[in-house]
Amino acid sequence: LVIASCLILGVDFSNAQVMFQKIYAQHLGVSGSSIRQTSDKGYLNLINEDFYMGKTDSNGVMIHTTQYPISSAKALSMVIIPTADGGSLLGGTYVVKIALNESVQWAKQFKNGSTIVQIMDTRQTSDGGYIMCCASDSGICLIRINSIGSLRWAKKYSPSGTKDWPQSIALTADGYVVSGTIQYGAGATD
Protein backbone atom coordinates (compact mmCIF):
# COMPACT_ATOMS: atom_id res chain seq x y z
CA LEU A 1 0.00 0.00 0.00
CA VAL A 2 1.45 3.35 -1.05
CA ILE A 3 0.30 6.49 0.71
CA ALA A 4 0.91 9.68 -1.25
CA SER A 5 0.86 13.12 0.30
CA CYS A 6 1.16 16.73 -0.71
CA LEU A 7 4.43 18.28 0.46
CA ILE A 8 5.03 22.01 0.82
CA LEU A 9 8.65 22.90 1.52
CA GLY A 10 9.70 26.49 2.24
CA VAL A 11 13.42 27.19 1.77
CA ASP A 12 15.23 30.40 2.76
CA PHE A 13 16.65 32.32 -0.19
CA SER A 14 19.92 33.41 1.44
CA ASN A 15 21.20 30.19 3.01
CA ALA A 16 19.00 27.38 1.64
CA GLN A 17 17.76 26.42 5.12
CA VAL A 18 14.34 24.82 5.50
CA MET A 19 11.91 27.43 6.89
CA PHE A 20 8.94 25.08 6.97
CA GLN A 21 7.91 21.64 5.79
CA LYS A 22 4.25 20.68 5.71
CA ILE A 23 2.59 17.45 4.65
CA TYR A 24 -1.11 17.44 3.80
CA ALA A 25 -3.79 14.97 2.74
CA GLN A 26 -2.19 11.66 3.62
CA HIS A 27 -4.23 9.16 1.62
CA LEU A 28 -4.21 7.34 -1.68
CA GLY A 29 -3.67 9.28 -4.88
CA VAL A 30 -2.85 12.71 -3.47
CA SER A 31 -0.11 14.95 -4.82
CA GLY A 32 0.72 18.60 -5.14
CA SER A 33 0.85 19.67 -8.76
CA SER A 34 1.38 23.45 -8.63
CA ILE A 35 2.08 26.17 -6.07
CA ARG A 36 2.20 29.97 -6.37
CA GLN A 37 2.70 32.75 -3.86
CA THR A 38 -0.18 35.19 -3.35
CA SER A 39 -0.09 38.94 -2.69
CA ASP A 40 -0.58 38.33 1.07
CA LYS A 41 2.64 36.20 1.05
CA GLY A 42 0.65 32.99 1.49
CA TYR A 43 0.42 30.23 -1.09
CA LEU A 44 -2.15 28.69 -3.39
CA ASN A 45 -1.48 24.99 -3.81
CA LEU A 46 -3.24 22.80 -6.35
CA ILE A 47 -3.60 19.39 -4.75
CA ASN A 48 -4.48 16.12 -6.43
CA GLU A 49 -6.12 15.58 -9.79
CA ASP A 50 -9.61 16.85 -9.02
CA PHE A 51 -9.30 20.65 -8.77
CA TYR A 52 -8.66 20.65 -5.03
CA MET A 53 -7.09 23.96 -3.92
CA GLY A 54 -5.37 24.68 -0.63
CA LYS A 55 -4.64 28.17 0.70
CA THR A 56 -1.84 28.53 3.25
CA ASP A 57 -0.33 31.38 5.18
CA SER A 58 3.30 32.48 4.70
CA ASN A 59 4.50 29.64 6.97
CA GLY A 60 2.72 26.93 5.02
CA VAL A 61 -0.06 26.51 7.58
CA MET A 62 -3.25 25.47 5.80
CA ILE A 63 -5.96 28.12 6.17
CA HIS A 64 -8.60 26.32 4.14
CA THR A 65 -9.15 23.96 1.24
CA THR A 66 -11.76 23.91 -1.48
CA GLN A 67 -12.62 21.29 -4.06
CA TYR A 68 -14.23 22.63 -7.20
CA PRO A 69 -16.88 20.39 -8.79
CA ILE A 70 -15.91 19.83 -12.38
CA SER A 71 -18.25 17.64 -14.43
CA SER A 72 -15.79 15.00 -15.56
CA ALA A 73 -14.84 11.54 -14.35
CA LYS A 74 -11.18 12.54 -14.68
CA ALA A 75 -10.75 16.29 -14.31
CA LEU A 76 -6.96 16.39 -14.22
CA SER A 77 -5.51 19.57 -12.69
CA MET A 78 -1.95 20.73 -13.31
CA VAL A 79 -1.42 24.45 -12.66
CA ILE A 80 -2.68 27.29 -10.49
CA ILE A 81 -1.87 31.00 -10.73
CA PRO A 82 -3.07 34.00 -8.72
CA THR A 83 -4.81 36.57 -10.92
CA ALA A 84 -4.66 40.38 -10.92
CA ASP A 85 -8.20 40.63 -9.50
CA GLY A 86 -7.23 38.66 -6.36
CA GLY A 87 -8.72 35.39 -7.58
CA SER A 88 -6.97 32.48 -9.21
CA LEU A 89 -6.95 30.42 -12.39
CA LEU A 90 -6.72 26.63 -12.31
CA GLY A 91 -5.73 24.68 -15.38
CA GLY A 92 -5.75 21.05 -16.44
CA THR A 93 -8.33 19.32 -18.57
CA TYR A 94 -10.44 22.38 -17.73
CA VAL A 95 -9.64 26.04 -17.12
CA VAL A 96 -11.45 27.30 -14.03
CA LYS A 97 -11.52 30.99 -13.01
CA ILE A 98 -11.95 31.42 -9.27
CA ALA A 99 -13.14 34.75 -7.82
CA LEU A 100 -11.63 36.47 -4.79
CA ASN A 101 -14.41 34.94 -2.63
CA GLU A 102 -13.37 31.51 -4.06
CA SER A 103 -16.54 30.93 -6.06
CA VAL A 104 -16.28 29.64 -9.61
CA GLN A 105 -16.67 32.50 -12.12
CA TRP A 106 -16.40 30.28 -15.18
CA ALA A 107 -15.07 26.91 -16.32
CA LYS A 108 -14.10 26.05 -19.90
CA GLN A 109 -12.67 23.13 -21.78
CA PHE A 110 -10.68 23.50 -25.00
CA LYS A 111 -9.99 21.06 -27.81
CA ASN A 112 -7.39 20.63 -30.51
CA GLY A 113 -9.62 19.15 -33.19
CA SER A 114 -11.62 16.48 -31.37
CA THR A 115 -9.04 15.99 -28.59
CA ILE A 116 -9.38 17.75 -25.23
CA VAL A 117 -6.12 19.55 -24.47
CA GLN A 118 -4.27 19.32 -21.16
CA ILE A 119 -3.27 22.77 -19.89
CA MET A 120 0.24 22.40 -18.52
CA ASP A 121 1.01 26.03 -17.62
CA THR A 122 -0.55 29.46 -17.94
CA ARG A 123 0.27 33.12 -17.41
CA GLN A 124 -1.94 36.18 -17.16
CA THR A 125 -1.29 38.70 -19.91
CA SER A 126 -1.18 42.49 -19.57
CA ASP A 127 -4.74 42.87 -20.94
CA GLY A 128 -6.18 40.58 -18.22
CA GLY A 129 -6.45 37.54 -20.48
CA TYR A 130 -4.41 34.35 -20.35
CA ILE A 131 -1.92 32.44 -22.47
CA MET A 132 -1.83 28.67 -21.93
CA CYS A 133 0.59 26.03 -23.16
CA CYS A 134 -1.23 22.77 -23.66
CA ALA A 135 -0.46 19.18 -24.54
CA SER A 136 -2.53 17.33 -27.09
CA ASP A 137 -2.12 14.15 -29.07
CA SER A 138 -0.69 16.10 -31.99
CA GLY A 139 1.88 18.28 -30.24
CA ILE A 140 2.05 21.57 -28.40
CA CYS A 141 -0.94 23.87 -28.50
CA LEU A 142 -0.89 27.52 -27.40
CA ILE A 143 -4.28 28.95 -26.49
CA ARG A 144 -5.00 32.61 -25.87
CA ILE A 145 -8.23 33.52 -24.05
CA ASN A 146 -9.66 36.78 -22.76
CA SER A 147 -10.50 37.55 -19.13
CA ILE A 148 -13.87 35.77 -19.32
CA GLY A 149 -12.50 32.62 -20.95
CA SER A 150 -13.50 33.28 -24.55
CA LEU A 151 -11.09 31.96 -27.16
CA ARG A 152 -9.02 34.63 -28.91
CA TRP A 153 -6.82 32.20 -30.84
CA ALA A 154 -5.28 28.73 -30.74
CA LYS A 155 -2.20 27.51 -32.58
CA LYS A 156 -0.71 24.04 -32.84
CA TYR A 157 3.06 23.41 -33.03
CA SER A 158 4.88 20.12 -33.53
CA PRO A 159 8.61 20.90 -33.69
CA SER A 160 9.76 17.26 -33.76
CA GLY A 161 6.89 15.92 -35.84
CA THR A 162 6.22 13.35 -33.11
CA LYS A 163 5.10 13.61 -29.49
CA ASP A 164 5.92 17.07 -28.11
CA TRP A 165 5.03 17.84 -24.50
CA PRO A 166 5.07 21.42 -23.15
CA GLN A 167 5.84 22.05 -19.48
CA SER A 168 6.13 25.79 -18.95
CA ILE A 169 5.33 29.11 -20.59
CA ALA A 170 6.75 32.57 -19.87
CA LEU A 171 5.87 36.03 -21.10
CA THR A 172 8.56 37.94 -22.99
CA ALA A 173 8.69 41.55 -24.16
CA ASP A 174 7.39 40.57 -27.59
CA GLY A 175 5.58 37.25 -27.13
CA TYR A 176 5.94 33.95 -25.31
CA VAL A 177 8.53 31.25 -24.79
CA VAL A 178 7.63 27.61 -24.12
CA SER A 179 9.80 24.89 -22.59
CA GLY A 180 9.04 21.20 -22.80
CA THR A 181 10.04 17.78 -24.05
CA ILE A 182 10.20 16.26 -27.49
CA GLN A 183 10.27 12.53 -28.11
CA TYR A 184 12.24 10.88 -30.90
CA GLY A 185 12.09 7.28 -32.05
CA ALA A 186 9.46 4.61 -31.89
CA GLY A 187 9.95 3.55 -28.28
CA ALA A 188 12.32 2.40 -25.55
CA THR A 189 13.97 -0.37 -27.60
CA ASP A 190 14.74 1.38 -30.90
Side-chain angles (χ1 to χ4, degrees):
L1 180 66
V2 176
I3 304 296
S5 299
C6 174
L7 168 69
I8 300 177
L9 181 66
V11 179
D12 180 81
F13 177 71
S14 61
N15 60 17
Q17 296 297 310
V18 173
M19 298 182 305
F20 62 85
Q21 177 178 318
K22 304 291 181 182
I23 298 173
Y24 300 105
Q26 294 178 326
H27 56 80
L28 294 174
V30 173
S31 63
S33 59
S34 182
I35 191 166
R36 297 290 191 272
Q37 190 167 35
T38 57
S39 60
D40 64 1
K41 305 296 183 204
Y43 301 94
L44 291 174
N45 189 18
L46 195 55
I47 304 167
N48 211 348
E49 296 181 342
D50 298 318
F51 289 91
Y52 181 73
M53 183 180 75
K55 171 71 171 104
T56 72
D57 67 13
S58 61
N59 295 312
V61 175
M62 191 66 70
I63 297 169
H64 65 270
T65 60
T66 307
Q67 184 168 11
Y68 294 98
I70 303 298
S71 60
S72 173
K74 190 66 169 176
L76 187 65
S77 54
M78 297 298 294
V79 64
I80 187 170
I81 62 167
T83 56
D85 63 4
S88 56
L89 190 79
L90 291 68
T93 48
Y94 286 82
V95 181
V96 182
K97 175 63 175 86
I98 307 299
L100 179 60
N101 68 2
E102 298 190 8
S103 64
V104 174
Q105 288 182 296
W106 49 262
K108 306 277 177 131
Q109 194 170 53
F110 296 96
K111 293 183 177 185
N112 180 13
S114 62
T115 305
I116 296 169
V117 298
Q118 170 69 45
I119 291 111
M120 302 302 293
D121 198 14
T122 187
R123 295 290 181 263
Q124 190 165 26
T125 55
S126 60
D127 64 358
Y130 304 92
I131 182 71
M132 303 175 292
C133 69
C134 310
S136 75
D137 60 357
S138 60
I140 295 168
C141 184
L142 293 184
I143 297 176
R144 179 82 162 85
I145 60 174
N146 66 15
S147 63
I148 58 171
S150 297
L151 183 66
R152 295 187 62 186
W153 55 261
K155 177 76 173 160
K156 180 176 63 171
Y157 304 89
S158 186
S160 71
T162 62
K163 183 66 176 175
D164 302 310
W165 196 259
Q167 293 295 325
S168 181
I169 190 166
L171 303 174
T172 65
D174 57 353
Y176 317 104
V177 62
V178 176
S179 174
T181 303
I182 58 175
Q183 178 180 328
Y184 294 99
T189 59
D190 65 338

